Amino acid sequence: MDCIFCKIIKGEIPSQKIYEDELCLAFFDIDPQAPKHAVIIPKTHIASLEDITAENSGLIAHIYAKVPEIAKKLGVNESGYRVVTNCGTDGGQTVGHIHFHLLGGRLLGWPPG
Ligand code: AMP
Ligand code: ZN
C-alpha cells in the first residue's frame, strides 16, 4: 500500500520521532502549523475517522491516553494545546492514514479556518 505514514512506521521514510510504543508513533510534522506540531498515528493502517469501528477504537483510545505524555515531551502541557483530526476533503485531510495533530506553543485561533 502506498501510504506515507505506513512508510514512516516501517522506517522507509525518515521522521523526527517524539514518542513510540507498540501501538502508536508520534513525530514532528514536516510543515508545522504552530511552534510545536506533532502528528500521532496508530501503527495499524486506518484510513480516516470514517473507518473507526468497535474493533479498532481501542487504538484511538490508546492514542488519547498517550496525549498528555506527548504534550509534556513537547513542553506544552501547562500552556495548553489542541488535538485535531481532519477527515475527508472538506475536513482538509491530505494523508489517508488516520492521524491526530497536536498543536501548541502559541495561542490557537477559533474557529479554525
Ligand atoms: P492532514 O492534512 O490533516 O491529512 O495532515 C497531514 C499532515 O502530515 C500534514 O500536516 C503534513 O505536513 C504532514 N506530513 C506529510 N508528510 C510528512 C512527513 N513525511 N513527515 C512529517 N509530516 C508529514
Ligand atoms: Zn498507512
Side-chain angles (χ1 to χ4, degrees), residues 4-5 8 13-15 27-33 37 39 85-86 91-96 99 101:
I4 58 170
F5 286 175
I8 285 175
I13 292 176
S15 68
F27 52 90
F28 284 102
D29 197 291
I30 203 168
D31 181 22
Q33 301 302 310
H37 185 173
V39 177
T85 297
N86 299 325
Q93 184 176 5
T94 61
V95 176
H99 49 281
H101 297 266

Side-chain angles (χ1 to χ4, degrees), residues 1 3-7 9 44-46 96-97:
M1 192 194 304
C3 170
I4 58 170
F5 286 175
C6 281
K7 285 181 181 168
I9 291 163
T44 301
H45 183 90
I46 299 170
H97 180 129

